[in-house]
Amino acid sequence: MKKNSGAKFAVILTLMIFVAVALIVVLNNKDDEPISETSSKTPPSIEGQPIFGETDAPVTIVEFGDFKCPACKAWGDTVFPKLVKDYIESGDVNFAYVNVPFHGQESVLAALAAESVYEQDPSVYWEFHKILFSSQPETAKHDELWVTIEKLLELTSNMPSISPEKLTLDLEQELTMPKVEKDTALYKKHGVGVTPTIIIKDKKISDPFDYEEIKKILDAELSAVNE
Ligand code: CA
């Protein structure tokens, strides 16, 4: 009887070790997996991304967005100005934008253009960002074609530092595609499945339009920084 329970214990112990090892293997693989549904434990790297606000602000908000996405336009028109007024102008928080071209070829074209403008003159990037979203047709007809090379050239025509020849080349020959692919790798790493997705440090905001939730997280992050 005693021997029997000892054998049982050995079997259970072996099973427990097996489960623990399997769990470790699964968790490790999860970290290496480029397409993960779970948010990465580390904040998104914003290296090489356009930054709005003070570059040395202690807290960064990262938007994963798409110029072709109506909800992203709505977020930029409603939530973003509040963030600028309450957190960004003071230098406490800055804002980075990462392309997530979810809406087909037009999304890709818009992202290629944004990367070209940022590469040619970072100081006009946010102006371009704003007029590109403003050019998006009303939500009801957002499926209509509007992002074209002609349109993108028109939007930059009053920006002397943006070369139309360079922009045309970047779009036609997809010369800024490596930058767009870098963004793609980043959104996949952080399990972004919808646009806009807002991440603050390592926290993904469940509803990007819930300003109170964003405020709560920002205030907590800022008080942790000031401690
Ligand atoms: Ca980018």
Side-chain angles (χ1 to χ4, degrees), residues 12-33:
I12 289 168
L13 190 69
T14 309
L15 271 175
M16 280 171 76
I17 290 168
F18 178 77
V19 168
V21 169
L23 209 61
I24 288 165
V25 169
V26 166
L27 289 176
N28 276 343
N29 279 346
K30 217 173 187 177
D31 282 344
D32 295 339
E33 184 67 56

Side-chain angles (χ1 to χ4, degrees), residues 48-50 97-99 115 179 183:
Q49 304 295 353
Y97 182 84
V98 178
N99 293 296
E115 296 293 357
K179 302 273 174 62
D183 289 11

Side-chain angles (χ1 to χ4, degrees), residues 112-144:
L112 287 168
E115 296 293 357
S116 175
V117 168
Y118 182 64
E119 201 177 280
Q120 292 191 55
D121 182 4
S123 75
V124 298
Y125 172 81
W126 293 104
E127 187 191 337
F128 178 71
H129 182 103
K130 199 172 174 182
I131 59 166
L132 187 48
F133 269 123
S134 309
S135 306
Q136 193 186 104
E138 291 308 306
T139 306
K141 20 173 205 171
H142 80 270
D143 282 337
E144 75 186 38

Side-chain angles (χ1 to χ4, degrees), residues 5 9 16-17 19 37 88-89 102 130:
S5 69
F9 178 72
M16 280 171 76
I17 290 168
V19 168
E37 285 305 305
I88 299 176
E89 275 175 359
F102 271 171
K130 199 172 174 182

Side-chain angles (χ1 to χ4, degrees), residues 87 111 138 153 170 179:
Y87 293 97
E138 291 308 306
L153 286 167
D170 284 348
K179 302 273 174 62

